[in-house]
Amino acid sequence: MGWALRYIIQLLESLGYGKDFIVKGFLDDRLDALDTFSNYPPVIDRIDSYSIKPDDVFVCALGTVTIKKKVCESILSRGGDFFTLIHKDTYISMNTKIGKGCILLSGARIHCDVSIGDFVVVQPYAIIGHDVMIGDWSHINALADCGGGSRIGECVTLHTSSFVLPSGIVEDNSTVGLVVSSCVE
């Protein structure tokens, strides 16, 4: 439990948090999400009961796009603000537009003239080809590849190692991925 919370702390540490800002804590409806782990900021409140302070800024580490959208909209409706985290090892080419509340992780490659909407996560080693458009709330998992000129709708999940052909279109609220099952004899 609490893996997303711990993962975001690792990203913040790689960006030097504590120098320019501090992590006050986490919001999670499971107040005990980090009880079995040490050296992390605390879970300070549930999402909907937290009273947003004027200097608060947020980052959302949820991977399920529908839940992420609901949680972020709740915080936004109460005056909360989000910022974008970009790992130092992310490659971003020229003329790329990145929305607010995004998380771009280590080794992701984002080529020229790309448009990334708000609250998009691009996991490690994903490839976003030239002229790709990614809608708000989408989640591009590790090693996924969006071919040049493809269009990824809102609230889309591209699972690990999935591939969107060049100029392909993935409609809103879609999930793309490989299904692998194991057989035990």
Side-chain angles (χ1 to χ4, degrees):
M1 304 304 279
W3 69 267
L5 305 178
R6 293 178 283 129
Y7 192 79
I8 227 44
I9 283 296
Q10 292 173 357
L11 176 58
L12 290 168
E13 285 178 350
S14 76
L15 298 172
Y17 93 89
K19 296 176 184 136
D20 297 326
F21 59 93
I22 60 166
V23 175
K24 184 191 291 187
F26 296 103
L27 301 180
D28 195 307
D29 288 342
R30 295 166 296 125
L31 295 176
D32 64 348
L34 294 174
D35 282 359
T36 59
F37 301 98
S38 334
N39 304 316
Y40 292 99
V43 175
I44 57 175
D45 205 345
R46 289 183 169 84
I47 296 159
D48 287 334
S49 60
Y50 179 71
S51 177
I52 296 171
K53 313 300 183 282
D55 291 336
D56 285 347
V57 289
F58 297 86
V59 62
C60 183
L62 294 168
T64 304
V65 295
T66 53
I67 296 171
K68 173 173 59 176
K69 183 175 181 185
K70 179 183 173 190
V71 166
C72 291
E73 285 178 340
S74 169
I75 292 170
L76 288 167
S77 73
R78 294 180 283 138
D81 192 21
F82 288 81
F83 66 101
T84 291
L85 291 175
I86 301 174
H87 192 280
K88 62 186 176 187
D89 294 334
T90 300
Y91 171 79
I92 301 173
S93 188
M94 60 190 289
N95 299 325
T96 294
K97 296 176 186 164
I98 301 169
K100 75 173 177 179
C102 293
I103 301 173
L104 308 178
L105 297 170
S106 177
R109 300 193 56 79
I110 301 166
H111 294 278
C112 62
D113 303 295
V114 168
S115 177
I116 298 175
D118 295 336
F119 301 98
V120 172
V121 173
V122 180
Q123 290 275 354
Y125 305 106
I127 299 171
I128 311 299
H130 65 86
D131 301 299
V132 170
M133 294 178 66
I134 301 174
D136 298 343
W137 311 106
S138 291
H139 193 97
I140 314 301
N141 277 293
L143 303 169
D145 189 331
C146 299
S150 59
R151 302 289 179 259
I152 311 300
E154 291 189 4
C155 293
V156 167
T157 299
L158 298 182
H159 283 293
T160 301
S161 298
S162 60
F163 188 81
V164 178
L165 294 172
S167 300
I169 297 172
V170 180
E171 299 289 338
D172 293 351
N173 305 305
S174 295
T175 299
V176 176
L178 303 171
V179 178
V180 178
S181 64
S182 61
C183 180
V184 179
E185 294 182 31

